[in-house]
């Protein structure tokens, strides 16, 4: 369906996500780093998407160190939410500053169509949660940002991520998570838990709070299946950078092949065909919409 004709009765993205999180089953949120990825994820049957800071920045050709602005994230959010019309959880790193910056970001991203934002408790420059030597914010400063986000949102779901497991252990991460829930977080993302036992212990210690598990590849957390995470009590799981990793690998092969062969001929069988691409972006429906509007507006020939 062309996005140009909105469903005026549709509920806000945040309230749709809240209703889904009230269900018992784990919500699998694959990363979608652009609008086309969002369409493909929707076609595969996913009900919600994750907009990863790592994938967003990598797609801009820069590292994930918290350098980008709320408006840049809003552009990606709008693109993805519009393409798929699915709830999107948006990674806003450390919230672009302190309380007022977080509030500005929350308003900007909720207006852009985000269903949820994720704020983490590192200080700038932040890093991928699976790297060494992360520096954490004071727990109360981080809680203040969660409180600020909660004050600024309309329906947006707030996911508080704690990176504390690496430096403060499981108990430190749990203490921070409890503080963030008190400050207004709707869900907790315990980042970079390093074993199945740790994942299970975190879930046992917080049975009443929706928890998110990060299944990023090449990280420190063991790769579990959606079914395994659900059995442990997790309510959301993300595969944040997978779409970008797959697409970028294929892209790399394309450039190497074209540089070597002077033609893309060898790769054509692996490419989306013209028909497949147009089908994915729904070109015929947009053309039909245009034709229908023109037919409505122009007077008939009969005079
Ligand atoms: C979840 C994450 O913040 C992201 O930006 O997607 C990253 C993912 C990654 O770098 O693999 C993370 O810090 O875990």
């Amino acid at each position: 369906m062309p996005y140009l004709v909105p469903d005026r009765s549709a509920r806000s993205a945040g309230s749709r996500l809240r209703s889904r999180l009230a269900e018992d089953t784990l919500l699998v949120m694959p990363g979608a780093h652009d609008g086309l990825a969002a369409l493909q994820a929707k076609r595969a049957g996913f009900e919600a998407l994750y907009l990863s800071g790592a994938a967003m920045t990598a797609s801009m050709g820069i590292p994930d160190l918290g350098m980008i602005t709320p408006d840049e994230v809003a552009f990606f959010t709008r693109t993805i939410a519009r393409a798929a019309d699915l709830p999107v959880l948006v990674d806003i790193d450390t919230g672009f500053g302190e309380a007022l910056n977080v509030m500005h970001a929350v308003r900007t991203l909720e207006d852009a169509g985000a269903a949820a934002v994720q704020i983490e408790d590192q200080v700038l420059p932040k890093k991928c949660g699976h790297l060494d030597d992360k520096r954490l914010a004071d727990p109360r400063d981080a809680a203040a940002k969660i409180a600020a986000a909660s004050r600024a949102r309309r329906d947006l779901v707030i996911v508080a991520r704690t990176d504390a497991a690496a430096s403060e252990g499981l108990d430190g991460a749990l203490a921070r998570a409890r503080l963030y829930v008190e400050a207004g977080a709707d869900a907790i993302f315990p980042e970079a838990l390093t074993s199945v036992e740790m994942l299970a212990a975190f879930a046992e210690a917080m049975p009443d709070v929706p928890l998110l598990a990060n299944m990023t590849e090449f990280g420190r957390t063991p790769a579990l299946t959606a079914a395994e995470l659900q059995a442990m009590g997790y309510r959301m799981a993300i595969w944040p950078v997978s779409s970008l990793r797959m697409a970028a690998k294929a892209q790399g092969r394309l450039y190497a092949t074209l540089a070597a062969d002077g033609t893309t001929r060898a790769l054509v069988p692996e490419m989306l065909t013209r028909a497949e691409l147009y089908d994915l972006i729904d070109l015929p429906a947009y053309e039909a919409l245009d034709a229908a509007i023109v037919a409505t507006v122009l007077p008939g020939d009969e005079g």
Side-chain angles (χ1 to χ4, degrees):
M1 246 319 258
Y3 82 89
L4 298 167
V5 183
D7 175 359
R8 293 189 209 284
S9 65
R11 288 186 297 144
S12 73
S15 96
R16 281 155 68 196
L17 180 60
R18 263 171 218 290
S19 306
R20 177 58 186 79
L21 289 177
E23 292 173 22
D24 273 347
T25 50
L26 177 104
L27 181 58
V28 174
M29 304 169 105
H33 63 284
D34 64 17
L36 199 58
L39 287 173
Q40 287 180 305
K42 182 173 188 163
R43 213 167 253 213
F46 292 104
E47 301 168 81
L49 301 172
Y50 182 73
L51 176 51
S52 148
M56 220 179 330
T57 50
S59 78
M60 295 164 86
I62 59 174
D64 184 21
L65 296 171
M67 300 183 291
I68 59 175
T69 65
D71 282 346
E72 286 169 317
V73 179
F75 172 81
F76 277 89
T77 301
R78 208 177 294 119
T79 303
I80 286 155
R82 182 167 67 197
D85 192 23
L86 290 177
V88 184
L89 165 55
V90 180
D91 178 2
I92 61 167
D93 295 338
T94 62
F96 310 100
E98 298 306 319
L100 297 180
N101 310 82
V102 169
M103 294 177 86
H104 173 63
V106 161
R107 293 268 18 94
T108 302
L109 293 170
E110 189 160 18
D111 289 347
V117 292
Q118 164 211 313
I119 307 176
E120 70 199 37
D121 57 4
Q122 294 190 51
V123 293
L124 290 171
K126 54 94 12 123
K127 302 179 163 195
C128 163
H130 297 258
L131 297 179
D132 290 331
D133 303 325
K134 293 183 286 183
R135 290 179 306 127
L136 294 188
D138 176 271
R140 270 173 309 204
D141 292 345
K145 291 196 204 182
I146 301 296
S150 148
R151 188 83 188 272
R153 56 112 173 261
R154 252 191 314 267
D155 288 329
L156 202 72
V157 173
I158 295 165
V159 179
R161 160 172 150 181
T162 179
D163 281 70
S167 54
E168 299 175 1
L170 186 66
D171 289 344
L174 279 167
R176 280 176 177 263
R178 291 195 180 103
L179 190 62
Y180 302 160
V181 170
E182 256 175 60
D186 300 296
I188 295 291
F189 169 175
E191 173 65 314
L193 302 184
T194 51
S195 65
V196 174
E197 292 70 31
M198 230 176 162
L199 282 160
F202 202 99
E204 267 164 41
M206 294 206 97
D208 300 327
V209 179
L211 297 181
L212 179 150
N214 180 4
M215 293 292 107
T216 194
E217 299 87 4
F218 313 102
R220 296 202 166 147
T221 305
L224 299 182
T225 64
E228 287 166 335
L229 290 166
Q230 172 162 325
M232 272 183 192
Y234 284 82
R235 303 298 280 275
M236 287 173 271
I238 58 172
W239 276 261
V241 196
S242 321
S243 66
L244 177 111
R245 287 185 193 286
M246 289 292 289
K249 187 108 182 194
Q251 227 161 249
R253 269 195 321 119
L254 161 71
Y255 292 124
T257 305
L258 180 56
D261 300 354
T263 170
T264 58
R265 234 178 272 140
L267 294 177
V268 166
E270 293 174 49
M271 289 184 182
L272 273 182
T273 64
R274 182 173 295 275
E276 284 166 343
L277 180 58
Y278 290 166
D279 175 54
L280 198 54
I281 57 182
D282 224 358
L283 173 65
Y286 283 81
E287 287 183 326
L289 175 66
D290 187 43
I293 302 283
V294 171
T296 316
V297 172
L298 294 180
D301 287 340
E302 62 280 359

